[in-house]
Amino acid sequence: MKAWVKSVQSGAGRSLGLAMAFAAVAGTSAMAQSGPVRLGVLTDMSSLYADNGGQGSVVAAQMAVDDFKGKVLGRNIEIVAGDHQNKADIGSVITRRWLENENVEAILDVPNSAVALAVQGITRDKKKLFLATGAATSRLTGDECSPTGIHWTYDTYALAQGTTKAIARLGAKTWFLLAADYSLGLQLEADSRKVIDATGGKVVGAVKHPINTPDFSSFLLQAQASKAEVIALADAGGDFINAVKQAGEFGVTRGQKLAGLIVFIADIHSLGLPSAQSLMLSSAFYWDLNDETRAWSKRFIEKTKKVPTMIHAGTYGAVMHYLKAVEAAGTLDGPTVAAKMRELPVNDFMTRDGKIRQDGRLVRDMYLFRVKSPAESKYQFDYYQLLATIPGDEAFKPMEDGGCPFLKKS
């Protein structure tokens, strides 16, 4: 009898525990459905990409939210931010926490290709949006593509098509490739080699350096010894800045040309025009391109005291387009919103009649610029001369050549 009573009491306790657990889950679900719509800016806050993305991306995302009047589907919109520290494991932990515990609906920015590939895998599994406004690797719309992944701003293929092809057309035949030894550098080097081969050029040497390298002397000496006409830098942010500065110190630029394959205006600002003048580069955005880019950039500069990069402009555009798609779809469901984003044309101060393909690539025009000399620059941040506009269909890899696996199933 006592055993039976104990058993009943134990069963009652389990039932009460289950009831409390179900109530907690229901409460969490209710909060998720009525609380703020959270968007997570996962970026580099403290290292070599901080000026290109970083806090500026958070500001740009918040500007889009404010311009959208702060609400969607009757709920407040909230921006949260995290520092991935350029480590895929840290980026993965933050992404999982945001998606599983903190009701974040979309991840943005991620200016590190290795971290971005990790985030793409998680968001693909969780059926959440990844708006890659800061990552470069073209694999995000190739073998690592995702139905809920949108590669927004630029990629390694487009950058190689712009800068490498332009320099080759000016007569350069021999190249040395200096690349960061991780996903960004590897893919940028691979895409550039294809362009160089296609234009009749030759890669006479190549070397890889660790990310966040303070001393480029040994790498630059190898490049100098190759006697290549062009030394192409397949790295970004602080690595690019250090390489250019040290190339000048070693006298490399007296006999060879430097080409930056992924260059941000924040890099040029850090280098200064005396060091960066005459460099050719590709970009998806320049603040001084037209009246609309100037108007938005003026607002950004007032808030940050810094010149906006293409990542900042792209982050604003991606948030705005995402919110328009959510409103049009009437839901936050990841695959549904992603489909609506592909359906709607992209039009903002940065992009005219852009189209998001099924593989997730936003196709828009890219631009080829030359960095001005100090004498040519007439006002603050007057750094670029526009050389050419590269149509989106020419700039980005054809979808059928990308190798996106889920397209074969559709």
Side-chain angles (χ1 to χ4, degrees), residues 17 25 87 89 100 181 241 341 379 383 400:
V25 170
K87 297 178 180 177
D89 56 343
E100 295 171 1
D181 193 10
I241 292 168
M341 289 183 74
Y379 42 85
Y383 294 158
E400 59 270 22

Side-chain angles (χ1 to χ4, degrees), residues 93-371:
V93 167
I94 295 172
T95 298
R96 290 188 184 280
R97 187 184 76 232
W98 279 353
L99 299 183
E100 295 171 1
N101 302 326
E102 299 180 18
N103 302 318
V104 169
E105 298 293 341
I107 309 291
L108 295 129
D109 195 5
V110 197
N112 179 299
S113 290
V115 181
L117 289 169
V119 172
Q120 178 104 311
I122 296 168
T123 52
R124 182 172 54 228
D125 292 344
K126 299 290 183 183
K127 294 181 170 57
K128 295 290 186 179
L129 267 292
F130 176 32
L131 311 179
T133 57
T137 178
S138 56
R139 291 183 64 196
L140 289 169
T141 53
D143 64 318
E144 288 291 341
C145 67
S146 166
T148 54
I150 311 272
H151 202 176
W152 191 269
T153 311
Y154 60 97
D155 64 24
T156 50
Y157 182 92
L159 295 171
Q161 284 290 306
T163 308
T164 310
K165 186 176 287 186
I167 294 173
R169 283 173 176 168
L170 292 176
K173 294 296 184 183
T174 57
W175 298 71
F176 187 97
L177 299 175
L178 177 56
D181 193 10
Y182 82 110
S183 303
L184 164 70
L186 302 181
Q187 193 62 52
L188 198 50
E189 178 182 337
D191 287 337
S192 295
R193 282 180 179 273
K194 292 176 183 176
V195 175
I196 292 166
D197 289 344
T199 54
K202 182 180 180 182
V203 177
V204 297
V207 66
K208 296 174 178 59
H209 67 81
I211 188 173
N212 222 357
T213 295
D215 182 4
F216 278 84
S217 57
S218 65
F219 309 116
L220 289 169
L221 289 172
Q222 290 180 59
Q224 194 173 36
S226 75
K227 301 190 184 304
E229 294 171 79
V230 182
I231 300 170
L233 304 177
D235 51 17
D239 282 336
F240 169 78
I241 292 168
N242 285 336
V244 173
K245 284 181 177 177
Q246 291 173 38
E249 292 167 3
F250 293 134
V252 173
T253 51
R254 286 198 292 267
Q256 295 164 291
K257 294 177 182 177
L258 288 184
L261 299 182
I262 175 168
V263 183
F264 297 88
I265 197 166
D267 304 331
I268 302 303
H269 182 72
S270 179
L271 282 166
L273 293 183
S275 296
Q277 62 183 314
S278 300
L279 190 74
M280 286 199 294
L281 59 97
S282 299
S283 182
F285 171 77
Y286 177 45
W287 76 271
D288 203 13
L289 201 59
N290 55 50
D291 288 343
E292 287 184 273
T293 60
R294 283 188 284 272
W296 182 86
S297 298
K298 180 181 177 182
R299 293 170 53 205
F300 181 91
I301 292 168
E302 286 172 351
K303 292 176 181 294
T304 65
K305 312 305 179 191
K306 295 182 177 180
V307 61
T309 69
M310 58 178 161
I311 292 177
H312 301 146
T315 298
Y316 176 97
V319 171
M320 185 63 75
H321 193 69
Y322 168 79
L323 294 174
K324 288 178 181 177
V326 168
E327 189 172 66
T331 180
L332 290 168
D333 176 70
T336 303
V337 174
K340 183 60 70 173
M341 289 183 74
R342 286 170 167 84
E343 178 184 322
L344 298 174
V346 179
N347 279 294
D348 58 31
F349 67 90
M350 180 183 181
T351 305
R352 284 283 172 271
D353 298 320
K355 176 66 177 175
I356 301 171
R357 301 186 313 206
Q358 287 306 304
D359 63 353
R361 175 68 260 165
L362 170 57
V363 178
R364 66 138 75 72
D365 292 347
M366 294 284 290
Y367 306 98
L368 181 70
F369 297 104
R370 180 186 66 85
V371 178

